Amino acid sequence: MTARYENLIDGHDCPPAQGAYLDSENPWTTQVWAQIPRSTPEDIDRAVAAASAAFRNAAWAGISATKRAALMRRLGDLVEANAKELALAEVRDNGKTYTEMLRQMLNTAEWYRYYGGLCDKIEGRVIPVEAPGHFNYTLREPLGVIAMIIPWNSPVRLLAWKLAPALAAGNTCVIKPSEHASTSTLTFARLVREAGFPDGVVNVVCGLGAEIGPALTDHPDIAKVAFTGGVGSGTAVYVAAAKRMRPATLELGGKSPNIVFADADLDAAVQGVAGGIFASGGQSCVAGSRLLVADAIHDAFVARLADVARRIRMGDPMDAATHVGPVANRPQFEHIMKMISMARDEGATIACGGESVTGAQGGLFVQPTICTGVTADMRIAQEEVFGPVLSVLRFSTEEEAVALANSTRFGLGAGIWTTDVGRAHRMAARVRSGSVWVNTYRMTSQTSPFGGFDLSGVGREGGQAMIDAYLQTKSVWVNTTGVMAPAFPSL
Ligand code: NAD
């Protein structure tokens, strides 16, 4: 049976103004399992109006920091208690394995608890000023209504990276999930109500990016845009924010290198590199999609990696024995296959994989693929695939490794595999990347900042400082003398 979902506006399930819906297809069964609203700018207007009213309403604006923290902790508890339902919605929407999605949901709960802990630590300062008889202090105030735009690959988790600090700081929001994966966000939004947040604090409007995205980012009552997605739409969002002179944080794509030196623990490196690119079918912003490997170990390392790649089990994402589920949606599948064909045309060798596979129930898979003989000037070495496709480039010196690592316009993550501690720190300092992992890969935490250099984005998410990105500072001056000096003494 097809489930029908509605937008959440001002605490109510709201059918889209024009009454149109989009089908949500389960990528494993290829069957339509849900319908989500195909909203229009009218729906965005309603949601922004609700969020603006909630921002001013004493039920939220007047709540104490201690109570806000309690709401956040309660929300974290509810995410944990409902982790299975949330994970299931994501599996149906994007085909990632249930095991992975469940793990993500349990971690997502921690984001709300962590930022809940910061609610009552938002403090201004008393500032010593060289102005006798004047007292100056700062107030830290929320921004207002935050537009949050999220992609399909891990919607509830990536939303938490924005929503947790934004709510902790006292903002309200309008969320636009991806048209390819909206149901988990709507399921999550019910928990926000259940936790006791006032109506209108969190609103969700579903629909196509091209149809409602600009109406949201260009809305005059939006105070900030927080976006995760591709560079193309991220650029459009950034331009819209700039035209309204509003701040924006952007978490974009990557072409992240895993750099393996000849002195590395090769058992560990094979695991890290294989997991870095093939986990989640490569549909991860930090996918380690470039392997930079020392000449001396190139052939042996690629052979070991290919052996792991061939043994990865693709199948039903609900089956605990499955390593990788289907590609999340047909446009993404077509993009991945086009990139593999392009790599062949550019002269790369497909050392393993390279073909598509149809699953038992019709879902589309791409074999874990390793392209060797790749050089930095090839498009396969420069452009994001967002699929299980690894480009292998070789180097002979540390200097060459640095140059190759920094040879794309992205800078999201980088793995460095070496047992030489000095080299590890030298490389960490020289690689242009928001996260650097030494002898590990893909580590993130609510307590640590995450984000990109260059085309990989603007701003950071995670860590204590992130709450500042959802606050603004007001400087208050008080004349304590009771006397105002004449403005024009001679008059
Ligand atoms: P996408 O850019 O196609 O879509 C992201 C969101 O933007 C969707 O909700 C979409 O509807 C919306 N959108 C599209 N056009 C818009 C417009 N003009 N105005 C406003 N909103 C618009 O990305 P995707 O295909 O959903 O996700 C994959 C991309 O996301 C990859 O590039 C990946 O690297 C990136 N990503 C980055 C991170 C990170 O943290 N850096 C995490 C996950 C995914």
Side-chain angles (χ1 to χ4, degrees):
M1 211 182 85
T2 309
R4 176 172 278 192
Y5 287 78
E6 306 293 2
N7 292 326
L8 180 82
I9 299 177
D10 206 14
H12 303 289
D13 286 343
C14 288
Q18 298 294 324
Y21 290 82
L22 297 163
D23 287 339
S24 200
E25 196 178 277
N26 178 330
W28 165 244
T29 63
T30 69
Q31 302 298 307
V32 172
W33 77 278
Q35 288 194 312
I36 57 158
R38 181 174 180 166
S39 306
T40 52
E42 290 163 88
D43 299 300
I44 292 287
D45 285 345
R46 288 178 66 189
V48 175
S52 301
F55 183 70
R56 291 188 300 269
N57 192 323
W60 181 242
I63 197 173
S64 74
T66 309
K67 287 205 173 112
R68 207 162 65 236
L71 288 175
M72 299 282 294
R73 284 194 300 273
R74 171 114 179 93
L75 180 56
D77 291 348
L78 284 169
V79 170
E80 185 174 309
N82 292 273
K84 289 181 179 168
E85 188 190 355
L86 291 165
L88 191 57
E90 297 224 331
V91 173
R92 286 178 173 153
D93 266 347
N94 66 22
K96 287 195 181 183
T97 64
Y98 180 71
T99 312
E100 181 189 352
M101 289 300 103
L102 190 59
R103 202 171 46 232
Q104 272 195 11
M105 292 311 153
L106 296 175
N107 173 252
T108 297
E110 297 301 345
W111 280 73
Y112 292 100
R113 294 181 181 130
Y114 173 78
Y115 281 102
L118 295 182
C119 289
D120 55 5
K121 293 161 194 75
I122 298 169
E123 296 165 348
R125 300 178 65 196
V126 174
I127 298 177
V129 283
E130 277 188 69
H134 284 81
F135 176 55
N136 178 241
Y137 61 94
T138 55
L139 293 173
R140 308 284 288 134
E141 298 183 347
L143 299 171
V145 181
I146 315 294
M148 299 182 185
I149 302 175
I150 50 175
W152 47 261
N153 59 326
S154 293
V156 169
R157 176 181 205 223
L158 296 171
L159 172 63
W161 294 15
K162 300 161 179 45
L163 186 61
L167 290 178
N171 297 281
T172 62
C173 70
V174 175
I175 301 161
K176 198 212 89 60
S178 165
E179 49 271 45
H180 297 295
S182 293
T183 65
S184 56
T185 302
L186 290 166
T187 305
F188 162 81
R190 284 206 325 260
L191 304 180
V192 176
R193 292 180 69 193
E194 198 178 327
F197 285 82
D199 289 347
V201 170
V202 171
N203 306 275
V204 184
V205 181
C206 303
L208 297 171
E211 289 181 0
I212 57 168
L216 180 58
T217 52
D218 190 39
H219 199 290
D221 296 335
I222 290 293
K224 170 179 172 141
V225 185
F227 174 88
T228 299
V231 174
S233 22
T235 306
V237 164
Y238 205 17
V239 168
K243 281 188 177 158
R244 293 256 177 209
M245 215 57 88
R246 289 190 203 112
T249 43
L250 304 160
E251 294 287 356
L252 307 177
K255 196 74 193 175
S256 302
N258 252 312
I259 309 165
V260 184
F261 288 91
D263 63 16
D265 171 345
L266 297 183
D267 293 341
V270 166
Q271 293 307 316
V273 174
I277 180 63
F278 298 131
S280 314
Q283 299 168 115
S284 158
C285 55
V286 292
S289 54
R290 289 185 300 147
L291 165 63
L292 315 184
V293 59
D295 270 329
I297 56 166
H298 176 279
D299 294 356
F301 193 81
V302 170
R304 290 187 64 179
L305 206 53
D307 179 55
V308 174
R310 288 192 192 97
R311 288 187 290 123
I312 289 172
R313 277 192 301 275
M314 300 184 289
D316 180 353
M318 292 302 293
D319 184 341
T322 295
H323 294 133
V324 175
V327 178
N329 52 68
R330 184 167 279 278
Q332 187 58 25
F333 170 78
E334 282 162 7
H335 170 69
I336 298 169
M337 294 313 291
K338 202 174 83 192
M339 294 295 282
I340 293 174
S341 152
M342 188 189 75
R344 280 199 179 94
D345 294 346
E346 287 183 303
T349 301
I350 307 299
C352 91
E355 302 300 327
S356 62
V357 177
T358 303
Q361 296 198 30
L364 297 169
F365 293 78
V366 177
Q367 291 175 332
T369 300
I370 300 177
C371 307
T372 54
V374 175
T375 50
D377 56 334
M378 291 183 184
R379 282 178 63 192
I380 195 64
Q382 295 292 330
E383 296 175 19
E384 186 179 41
V385 178
F386 218 58
V389 182
L390 179 69
S391 295
V392 183
L393 297 92
R394 39 203 309 164
F395 66 85
S396 53
T397 63
E398 195 175 303
E399 208 56 34
E400 266 177 47
V402 171
L404 276 180
N406 294 340
S407 67
T408 77
R409 294 188 64 204
F410 291 106
L412 195 58
I416 295 164
W417 300 88
T418 178
T419 49
D420 177 337
V421 70
R423 168 176 279 158
H425 289 291
R426 283 195 302 276
M427 290 296 294
R430 296 183 71 191
V431 169
R432 286 185 56 75
S433 175
S435 293
V436 174
W437 297 289
V438 177
N439 296 328
T440 185
Y441 199 75
R442 209 194 271 276
M443 301 301 294
T444 58
S445 167
Q446 64 278 6
T447 60
S448 179
F450 176 87
F453 281 31
D454 303 322
L455 275 193
S456 290
V458 177
R460 294 291 179 268
E461 294 187 328
Q464 286 189 39
M466 190 54 199
I467 202 154
D468 292 337
Y470 289 96
L471 290 164
Q472 55 195 333
T473 303
K474 183 181 280 174
S475 178
V476 181
W477 292 78
V478 182
N479 177 351
T480 54
T481 65
V483 178
M484 186 67 202
F488 306 103
S490 58
L491 291 181

